[in-house]
Amino acid sequence: MSAPRLPGDPTPAEFVERALRVDYAGEVGAVRIYDGQIAILGQGPAGDALRAMRAKEEAHRDELARLVAERGVRPTALGPLWNLAGYALGAATALLGEKAAMAATVAVEEVIEEHYRSQQKVLADQKAEPGLAELVARFGADESAHKNEALAHGAREAPGYEVLTSAIKAGSRLAIWLSTRV
């Protein structure tokens, strides 16, 4: 049994619209993070892994773009900012080295895993959008795989790992909150 809807809570339709808006913005941002990392590290040992992760994020972005268009969902007004910020985050962490770039991936993916799990719970409670719930589950599994790949590439060995990932997680949570609403 789901919790009762409280004043100010989005309706199921509003929840889906917000979910599509924020998920699309997040996938656009993810592609841009990888663009920045690939610009710096693309010719090095991590290049192939970064390109493979970017390709998955592109597929997510494209699928969400289709859903946003089909359903007439207004994209976040912050899209241009996330485009720039994503690239800057990717490039800046890559300039700190491969392990720092992988630490950024771990931080972002941990927040996205948490975000997608939360969406899955709400969608399961609503029982109204099984296709969207499936998509969120599939994307969440891909994000988890990216996190594991980044960990395998030594993310935890990045200098200042805890500080770096904490800051990136806070920024990612703020971006999610803002994109849901703006």
Side-chain angles (χ1 to χ4, degrees), residues 70-91:
E70 281 177 5
R71 293 175 181 228
V73 172
R74 174 190 58 80
T76 179
L78 299 172
L81 176 61
W82 301 151
N83 189 14
L84 178 63
Y87 189 90
L89 175 63

Side-chain angles (χ1 to χ4, degrees), residues 20-84:
L20 290 172
R21 177 181 302 116
V22 71
D23 293 355
Y24 174 67
E27 297 299 346
V28 168
V31 169
R32 294 300 289 157
I33 291 168
Y34 287 118
D35 286 343
Q37 291 175 340
I38 290 166
I40 307 299
L41 299 171
Q43 300 306 313
D48 288 342
L50 293 170
R51 280 186 287 281
M53 288 186 278
R54 182 187 187 281
K56 276 284 194 196
E57 302 295 1
E58 283 181 306
H60 295 175
R61 179 202 60 201
D62 294 348
E63 194 163 349
L64 285 163
R66 181 185 57 75
L67 288 171
V68 163
E70 281 177 5
R71 293 175 181 228
V73 172
R74 174 190 58 80
T76 179
L78 299 172
L81 176 61
W82 301 151
N83 189 14
L84 178 63

Side-chain angles (χ1 to χ4, degrees), residues 116 119-124 129-139:
Y116 279 151
Q119 282 185 349
Q120 281 179 274
K121 182 179 179 338
V122 172
L123 290 167
E129 291 275 350
L132 185 56
E134 239 176 67
L135 178 127
V136 168
R138 183 167 41 92
F139 286 4

